[in-house]
Amino acid sequence: MSKPNPFEISQKQLADCAKILNLDAGVHEFLRHPRREFHVSIPVRMDDGSLKIFQGFRVQYNDALGPCKGGIRFHPDETVDTVRALSAWMTWKCSLLGLPLGGGKGGVICNPKEMSMGEQERLCRGYVDMLWENIGPAKDVPAPDVYTTPQMMAWMMDQYSKHVGSNSFGMITGKPLVVGGSLGRGDSTARGGLFTLREAAKEFNIDLAKSTVAIQGYGNAGSFAHSLVKELFGSKVVAVSDSKGGAFNAAGIEADVAARVKAETSTVANIPGAKKISNEEILELDVDILIAAALENVITKDNAGKIKAKVIIELANGPTTPEADAILFQNKVHVIPDFLANAGGVTVSYFEMVQNIARYNWTLDEVYTRLDERMTEAYQAVLAASKNYKVNMRQAAYTVAVARVVEAMKIRGWV
Ligand code: NAD
């Protein structure tokens, strides 16, 4: 079976939203495509003396609300349609969070794991050489994503600064602290998701201190979610998993134990005293909260009916298929959709831009407080739209996000 085309999925989601909002056909058509996209060939001198040409993209989907914002992925299977879809999702995510930003995304077809540091640096600088006139703090601000790192952001910022002739920290986010990064970026995705969980718990009278939690995926998002759900709410994590399998212990699993076992054995599946479970089983456990923090398309029409959790937080992008969404909605499982639940990352990236512009660094407390305000406001807006239109939380999030972009386009006189 061929993989679904992510851009077609994003266009389908938009079409559903256009129906709910009764969008004008021309406005809908405008929103179906990126406003601008750049395809570049980047020559890089490799360490063995050969010249290799890499293909790169930058897609600026919509900038009605402000400069585009979105990561750059370095991946051997990168396609322009993936970048287009991700740039559309960034547009809706920034809008939903009330950020004065549009949506963009970039990608280079390459495998950084097979490249030396020098080759990676030349590729990063080459990418900026090709695009610097079309990106920047007022136009389009990239960030790290799959296989790109804070060090790469620093090289890109340096190269851009050379082109414009002055330090331009605000042209990119996810930088190391010493060159304009923000405190609090590391756990911002998990923390932001948990702020929305707190709001959901209030709405549905769930006592988080007495709740059990299962976490699928134990990378950046999942592992921080583990320690934070205990720290913030006192909830009990009873199951965790990663690509090699999972572990269940009704008595609870501590975050430091899971982290140590993963470091020592390269998987959380070997936690002592816990029962080994599969990645399918973890989704169907009798828990109160399920955190999806691994991959896309894991909750499908085949297992959605077996999910017992009351709330699902999608820290991963696209873990639930549209058919599964319908089943979960019918079964009254409250899904906090990806572009709301995992928006903490881009929100703190935006805070990084603001700090760069002001040349004034915030404390960790300031970052957390402002993140909480944004996430809470966005969650409440989506919940209200879901009640208003009687649609699931994903469709509701689309209505809030798309309506804001359309309003800005109208006021600007674009449509
Ligand atoms: P990561 O690479 O750090 O971690 C991914 C985890 O998923 C790893 O533990 C891996 O072992 C696990 N995994 C892989 N295949 C699996 C499988 N079949 N079953 C169970 N687990 C599996 O990635 P991350 O940054 O934590 O991102 C996870 C998800 O969250 C992705 O969908 C990503 O797009 C999304 N996300 C992350 C951020 C962020 O700031 N890190 C922001 C927004 C969205």
Side-chain angles (χ1 to χ4, degrees):
M1 206 177 71
S2 64
K3 268 193 178 168
N5 179 327
F7 189 44
E8 283 169 14
I9 293 176
S10 81
Q11 289 187 323
K12 160 86 175 63
Q13 292 167 338
L14 176 68
D16 290 345
C17 171
K19 258 190 226 145
I20 299 169
L21 289 178
N22 201 14
L23 271 195
D24 172 85
V27 173
H28 178 198
E29 183 58 22
F30 193 0
L31 290 175
R32 289 182 72 242
H33 306 280
R35 291 206 77 205
R36 248 173 259 112
E37 60 181 50
F38 304 94
H39 294 227
V40 295
S41 295
I42 310 158
V44 173
R45 185 65 64 189
M46 305 303 278
D47 291 350
D48 65 4
S50 65
L51 186 68
K52 202 163 167 185
I53 313 298
F54 293 90
Q55 300 306 314
F57 314 106
R58 185 75 195 170
V59 178
Q60 295 170 349
Y61 199 83
N62 188 294
D63 56 0
L65 289 170
C68 295
K69 182 91 194 81
I72 301 173
R73 300 160 60 123
F74 280 5
H75 199 277
D77 303 328
E78 196 58 88
T79 69
V80 72
D81 269 348
T82 312
V83 180
R84 284 176 181 138
L86 289 162
S87 69
W89 289 324
M90 283 306 300
T91 306
W92 315 136
K93 197 188 284 195
C94 290
S95 170
L96 183 61
L97 267 289
L99 309 179
L101 298 169
K105 204 82 183 188
V108 178
I109 305 171
C110 69
N111 188 352
K113 290 185 175 174
E114 291 171 359
M115 296 167 71
S116 71
M117 286 293 271
E119 289 165 347
Q120 291 178 29
E121 178 175 351
R122 292 191 286 281
L123 177 59
C124 288
R125 291 186 187 276
Y127 185 76
V128 172
D129 287 343
M130 293 305 298
L131 285 167
W132 70 275
E133 285 162 303
N134 301 298
I135 59 175
K139 291 182 183 169
D140 181 6
V141 181
D145 202 283
V146 176
Y147 292 168
T148 50
T149 62
Q151 170 64 75
M152 292 176 179
M153 300 304 108
W155 287 325
M156 291 192 192
M157 177 279 290
D158 184 70
Q159 193 67 8
Y160 181 87
S161 297
K162 282 178 181 158
H163 279 287
V164 298
S166 58
N167 268 324
S168 187
F169 286 2
M171 64 77 56
I172 208 160
T173 60
K175 302 180 292 292
L177 276 180
V178 70
V179 285
S182 176
L183 290 171
R185 177 65 181 86
D187 69 8
S188 54
T189 300
R191 190 176 288 272
L194 293 182
F195 289 146
T196 65
L197 169 63
R198 185 198 57 212
E199 295 305 299
K202 277 189 217 155
E203 174 71 18
F204 298 101
N205 289 320
I206 298 169
D207 183 352
L208 288 175
K210 291 196 184 126
S211 294
T212 52
V213 182
I215 303 174
Q216 188 194 46
Y218 216 76
N220 176 290
S223 62
F224 277 123
H226 187 171
S227 47
L228 284 173
V229 80
K230 174 91 188 286
E231 182 190 315
L232 297 174
F233 312 130
S235 315
K236 183 159 76 176
V237 175
V238 293
V240 291
S241 75
D242 57 33
S243 59
K244 298 191 177 120
F248 169 78
N249 187 344
I253 295 170
E254 294 304 323
D256 55 343
V257 175
R260 180 172 46 77
V261 172
K262 186 159 175 74
E264 285 169 7
T265 70
S266 85
T267 171
V268 289
N270 299 323
I271 292 173
K275 183 180 155 217
K276 283 205 163 106
I277 54 169
S278 70
N279 261 307
E280 289 72 43
E281 287 169 314
I282 195 168
L283 299 171
E284 298 168 18
L285 288 175
D286 190 3
V287 291
D288 301 303
I289 315 292
L290 175 62
I291 301 183
L295 296 179
E296 61 280 5
N297 299 332
V298 291
I299 303 174
T300 65
K301 64 177 176 7
D302 301 325
N303 62 4
K306 298 181 204 151
I307 286 182
K308 299 179 191 70
K310 299 183 188 87
V311 180
I312 300 176
I313 309 166
E314 295 184 342
L315 292 186
N317 280 312
T320 309
T321 65
E323 296 94 335
D325 256 338
I327 297 168
L328 295 169
F329 189 52
Q330 204 175 13
N331 291 352
K332 298 198 164 39
V333 178
H334 185 67
V335 178
I336 307 180
D338 46 12
F339 73 100
L340 170 60
N342 68 30
V346 70
T347 303
V348 175
S349 269
Y350 161 65
F351 294 163
E352 182 175 332
M353 287 173 68
V354 173
Q355 292 170 76
N356 292 157
I357 292 164
R359 291 193 196 288
Y360 184 84
N361 295 339
W362 300 355
T363 63
L364 205 46
D365 268 354
E366 280 174 286
V367 172
Y368 291 163
T369 306
R370 289 182 160 128
L371 177 63
D372 194 346
E373 282 166 10
R374 295 268 174 183
M375 297 301 302
T376 300
E377 203 175 301
Y379 177 86
Q380 293 300 344
V382 174
L383 185 68
S386 121
K387 289 178 184 171
N388 181 25
Y389 292 112
K390 299 190 174 46
V391 294
N392 68 36
M393 288 288 280
R394 190 178 327 277
Q395 291 164 321
Y398 257 91
T399 62
V400 175
V402 171
R404 284 184 188 150
V405 174
V406 170
E407 189 189 349
M409 295 200 307
K410 283 191 177 150
I411 285 173
R412 294 179 72 143
W414 292 2
V415 292

